[in-house]
């Protein structure tokens, strides 16, 4: 929620700046590769990894734990219903980028 | 009216930012909006609503307008659960209040009747014209009524397709409820590609669940215009286990290719009239193409679907129009709600990055389609997709279907995750 308010006020400010004829360029940085790849997780794990249903939340996971879990799904040492089928599609680098993004959501 | 909404938002947004003093310098938003660039999104379903929300998330400074005629969007996902008696119709209704009030998207309930590509304007049925700098199109599907003799919009009231959720789904449910025990439910299923490849077989499963409880002598016949189908082994195993011989699947080579429908008697003909099936309840799912507005705007190719740059979802016909969801040709990605959701985010990022003068990034994304064979029996198909060399393809060695020899505990777990997926994705799109 706090995150949300900050976002909204940021939007209001830029909206106001735009109205004053000033431009604002920082926003595009938000869509980094890690941030964008993480959005694909949201369909099951909820927006920003906050799940409201039966699928576990992954919001705010520490990077190293998420990386370790994904690698365990990938090599089959951690059993799962579907995560093994996902983890096998990602490179080490992609897993790290996604994990780093989730750890920044606090 | 649209102006009022947007002004209210503008004021609220300014209030939240504590920058109300800046208002005086702005003039009226309605004037500036006509001249300033904005992104217009057509269609508030899985793809369009996601794109609108993520455009705002990625760049709160953007002016985003979402145009959708229906104030309550009923998701197709979950509509088979309703047909099987597992959920209520109102549980499938999504509204646009949060997108409007929390995310600051201007929502207009109207239909786009034309896209004036030369002048970057959309025409609305209500008479308004809106300028766009970039247009996102997610109109879903429309039906090719010319494909099979005897089936057209005029008979859809009595022979429902129920392939767009809403009144059609309720019509089909009422017919199933009215059918006597011992009746025959016939489903006619199109060839590939079509919306939701496992959808027809989940529907047959859950109607069988309903019959098993209330009309156990009834039968289900699937007439399929193809030779194999999604999650086939898992579905057929589950059918055998849960419903015995209640469901019969007929592939195209064995009489499944329907050529004619006689709506008055609910009879379908295949094999040049040699094979004939008479139904008590008939569910005809016609072959499909991109939503009409895409076809009429010259954005479809020979196949009836929209070719796009598969990195950005920019139309191959128009660099300022992005086409996502079922209407688009997205390499190996299936026509699913999950795909449409992913594509909405990709197109939103591509637009925001393009406007900032940055190139789009190549990504890996996932798709998972859960299906219920029974209330406690879930199966899934998953894949990871990657863009390379101009195309989206599945990453070799990843994805696949649920294991064939899984325990009932595993199936129950996946049934629970199917509901979890519904809760998460609908919140991600409309929440
Ligand atoms: C029975 C069934 C079960 C399914 N189950 C699943 C599932 O379990 N998982 C899954 O991932 N997918 C599932 N799907 C598929 C999923 O519903 C679709 O793939 C998804 O809805 C596609 O999103 P879209 O945005 O392309 O189209 P839609 O969600 O159909 O949205 C299109 C919207 O555009 C609007 N529109 C059209 N033309 C205009 C116009 N001219 N002006 C303004 N608005 C317009 C329409 O009113 C509509 O709201 C299922 C489908 C069916 C039929």
């Amino acid at each position: 929620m706090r995150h949300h308010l900050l976002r909204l006020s940021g939007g209001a400010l830029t909206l106001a700046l735009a109205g004053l004829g000033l431009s604002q360029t920082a926003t595009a940085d938000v869509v980094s590769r890690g941030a964008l790849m993480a959005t694909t997780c949201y369909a099951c794990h909820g927006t920003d990894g906050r799940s409201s249903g039966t699928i576990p939340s992954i919001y705010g996971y520490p990077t190293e734990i998420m990386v370790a879990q994904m690698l365990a799904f990938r090599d089959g040492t951690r059993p799962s219903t579907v995560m093994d089928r996902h983890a096998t599609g990602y490179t080490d680098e992609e897993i790290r980028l996604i994990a780093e993004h989730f750890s920044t959501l606090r | 009216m649209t102006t009022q909404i947007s002004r209210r938002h503008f004021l609220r947004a300014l209030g939240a930012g504590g920058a109300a003093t800046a208002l005086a310098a702005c003039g009226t938003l309605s004037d500036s909006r006509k001249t300033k660039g904005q992104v217009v999104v057509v269609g508030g379903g899985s793809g369009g609503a996601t794109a609108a929300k993520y455009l705002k998330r990625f760049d709160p400074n953007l002016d985003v307008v979402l145009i959708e005629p229906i104030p309550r969007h009923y998701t197709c996902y979950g509509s088979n659960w309703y047909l099987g008696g597992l959920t209520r119709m109102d549980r499938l209704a999504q509204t646009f209040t949060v997108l409007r009030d929390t995310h600051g998207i201007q929502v207009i309930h109207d239909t786009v009747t034309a896209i004036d590509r030369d002048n970057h304007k959309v025409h609305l049925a209500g008479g308004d014209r809106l300028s766009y700098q970039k247009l996102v199109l997610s109109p879903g599907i429309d039906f090719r009524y010319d494909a099979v003799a005897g089936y057209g919009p005029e008979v859809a009231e009595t022979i429902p397709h129920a392939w767009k959720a809403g009144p059609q789904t309720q019509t089909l449910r009422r017919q199933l409820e009215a059918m006597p025990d011992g009746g025959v439910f016939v489903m006619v299923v199109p060839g590939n590609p079509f919306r939701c490849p496992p959808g027809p077989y989940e529907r047959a499963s859950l109607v069988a669940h309903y019959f098993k409880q209330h009309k156990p002598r009834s039968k289900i016949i699937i007439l399929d215009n193809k030779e194999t189908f999604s999650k086939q082994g898992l579905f057929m195993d589950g059918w055998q286990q849960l419903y015995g011989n209640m469901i019969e699947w007929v592939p195209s080579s064995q009489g499944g290719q329907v050529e004619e429908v006689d709506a008055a008697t609910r009879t379908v003909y295949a094999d040049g009239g040699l094979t004939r099936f008479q139904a008590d309840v008939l569910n005809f799912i016609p072959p499909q193409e991109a939503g009409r507005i895409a076809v009429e705007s010259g954005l479809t190719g020979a196949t009836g679907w929209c070719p796009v740059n598969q990195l950005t979802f920019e139309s191959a016909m128009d660099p300022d129009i992005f086409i996502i969801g079922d209407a688009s040709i997205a390499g190996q990605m299936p026509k699913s709600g999950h795909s449409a959701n992913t594509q909405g985010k990709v197109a939103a990022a591509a637009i925001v990055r393009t406007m900032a003068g940055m190139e789009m990034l190549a990504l890996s994304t996932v798709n998972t389609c859960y299906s219920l064979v029974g209330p406690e029996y879930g199966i899934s198909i998953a894949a990871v997709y990657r863009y390379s060399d101009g195309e989206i393809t599945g990453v070799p060695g990843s994805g696949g279907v649920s294991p064939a020899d899984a325990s009932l505990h595993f199936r129950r777990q996946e049934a629970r995750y199917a509901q979890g997926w519904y809760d998460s994705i609908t919140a991600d799109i409309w929440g």
Side-chain angles (χ1 to χ4, degrees):
Chain A
M1 193 59 220
R2 186 164 54 97
H3 189 61
H4 205 91
L5 279 176
L6 285 175
R7 186 180 292 286
L8 187 59
S9 60
L13 200 60
T14 53
L15 200 58
L17 290 174
L20 290 165
L22 304 172
S23 71
Q24 194 254 14
T25 51
T27 46
D29 292 347
V30 175
V31 209
S32 66
R33 195 150 163 256
L36 191 46
M37 273 196 297
T39 66
T40 202
C41 311
Y42 300 174
C44 296
H45 291 281
T47 307
D48 292 332
R50 289 181 217 252
S51 167
S52 53
T54 52
I55 297 178
S57 281
I58 51 174
Y59 170 80
Y61 250 58
T63 308
E64 294 313 321
I65 293 181
M66 189 176 286
V67 168
Q69 297 297 317
M70 285 295 283
L71 296 181
F73 285 132
R74 200 172 67 183
D75 66 21
T77 47
R78 180 175 168 185
S80 64
T81 54
V82 75
M83 280 312 299
D84 52 344
R85 291 179 263 158
H86 290 154
T88 42
Y90 286 89
T91 64
D92 289 354
E93 187 217 0
E94 289 173 326
I95 288 174
R96 181 155 289 279
L97 285 174
I98 293 171
E100 279 168 358
H101 177 75
F102 276 107
S103 74
T104 64
L105 301 176
R106 291 198 169 276
Chain B
M1 178 198 138
T2 54
T3 310
Q4 278 168 7
I5 289 172
S6 105
R7 180 187 294 276
R8 198 159 7 99
H9 269 299
F10 187 60
L11 288 171
R12 182 173 346 195
L14 281 169
T21 47
L23 182 63
C26 292
T28 65
L29 191 66
S30 58
D31 291 339
S32 63
R33 186 155 37 77
K34 294 242 165 57
T35 49
K36 199 173 95 187
Q38 67 179 353
V39 183
V40 172
V41 181
V42 181
S46 301
T50 305
K53 175 170 164 179
Y54 277 81
L55 278 162
K56 274 296 203 188
R57 274 177 66 100
F58 293 152
D59 187 354
N61 190 32
L62 271 184
D63 205 353
V64 179
V65 183
L66 176 63
I67 305 167
E68 162 61 54
I70 309 165
R72 280 160 78 83
H73 177 91
Y74 290 94
T75 59
C76 285
Y77 23 103
S79 66
N80 290 330
W81 310 350
Y82 162 79
L83 288 172
L86 312 186
T87 191
R88 294 194 322 257
M89 200 63 193
D90 60 318
R91 295 280 198 84
L92 307 179
Q94 307 297 333
T95 64
F96 299 91
T97 345
V98 178
L99 292 180
R100 194 185 60 209
D101 295 346
T102 307
H103 298 289
I105 293 156
Q106 190 191 339
V107 180
I108 300 176
H109 290 302
D110 207 338
T111 303
V112 173
T113 51
I115 302 171
D116 177 357
R117 284 166 50 189
D118 291 338
N119 296 304
H120 284 67
K121 278 187 170 49
V122 292
H123 297 193
L124 305 187
D128 278 352
R129 289 174 187 208
L130 284 180
S131 296
Y132 64 83
Q133 191 172 343
K134 301 284 181 195
L135 186 72
V136 179
L137 209 52
S138 192
I141 54 160
D142 265 300
F143 300 112
R144 287 176 38 214
Y145 284 119
D146 57 344
V148 172
Y151 192 82
E154 68 288 352
V155 298
E157 285 305 311
T158 47
I159 316 270
H161 53 75
W163 219 241
K164 293 185 183 184
Q168 276 276 308
T169 323
Q170 287 169 301
T171 301
L172 181 54
R173 172 72 191 175
R174 273 196 300 274
Q175 292 183 356
L176 291 167
E177 281 171 353
M179 190 187 90
D181 188 13
V184 179
F185 172 49
V186 175
M187 289 178 68
V188 179
V189 179
N192 295 320
F194 66 105
R195 160 175 285 182
C196 194
Y201 316 98
E202 182 190 59
R203 175 169 294 176
S205 307
L206 295 181
V207 171
H209 167 75
Y210 166 69
F211 283 172
K212 189 178 169 182
Q213 293 172 297
H214 300 281
K215 349 196 136 171
R217 295 188 298 113
S218 308
K219 221 168 145 62
I220 300 172
I221 299 174
I222 306 170
L223 302 175
D224 209 336
N225 199 359
K226 56 178 116 42
E227 292 299 308
T228 57
F229 63 87
S230 175
K231 295 183 259 193
Q232 184 168 352
L234 291 171
F235 271 116
M236 287 186 146
D237 260 13
W239 291 345
Q240 197 60 48
Q241 279 181 51
L242 301 180
Y243 312 115
N245 296 321
M246 188 184 273
I247 303 173
E248 185 189 341
W249 175 70
V250 184
S252 55
S253 59
Q254 287 166 42
Q257 189 177 354
V258 169
E259 288 141 3
E260 196 180 332
V261 179
D262 180 19
T265 58
R266 288 195 207 82
T267 309
V268 296
Y269 298 90
D271 277 347
L274 287 178
T275 320
R276 192 178 84 98
F277 296 89
Q278 219 245 307
D280 292 290
V281 176
L282 179 57
N283 175 205
F284 189 97
I285 307 168
Q288 299 150 27
E289 62 186 3
R292 195 131 303 137
I293 188 69
V295 178
E296 286 170 357
S297 306
L299 297 165
T300 47
T303 58
W305 305 100
C306 302
V308 296
N309 171 336
Q310 294 179 20
L311 177 65
T312 58
F313 284 84
E314 179 186 308
S315 164
M317 276 83 168
D318 191 321
D320 292 321
I321 301 182
F322 292 71
I323 306 170
I324 56 174
D326 290 350
S328 67
I329 301 171
Q332 291 180 354
M333 289 178 96
K335 296 191 185 303
S336 73
H338 197 159
S339 295
N341 169 259
T342 297
Q343 293 159 9
K345 293 164 182 174
V346 170
I351 288 170
V352 168
R353 288 183 67 93
T354 307
M355 283 177 161
M358 298 162 90
E359 295 215 322
M360 185 52 184
L361 304 157
L363 308 170
S364 299
T365 60
V366 300
N367 180 70
T368 309
C369 285
Y370 286 101
S371 301
L372 294 183
V373 183
E376 299 276 294
Y377 195 117
I379 57 175
S380 63
I381 182 164
V384 181
Y385 296 99
R386 190 174 287 158
Y387 172 86
S388 70
D389 297 331
E391 245 200 309
I392 298 171
T393 52
V395 177
S398 71
V401 298
S402 313
D405 55 357
S407 65
L408 282 178
H409 172 75
F410 192 104
R411 304 282 189 235
R412 207 174 305 125
Q413 194 73 7
E414 288 215 281
R416 240 174 255 142
Y417 287 157
Q419 181 65 53
W421 172 85
Y422 186 92
D423 295 339
S424 287
I425 198 168
T426 49
D428 189 44
I429 298 173
W430 293 280

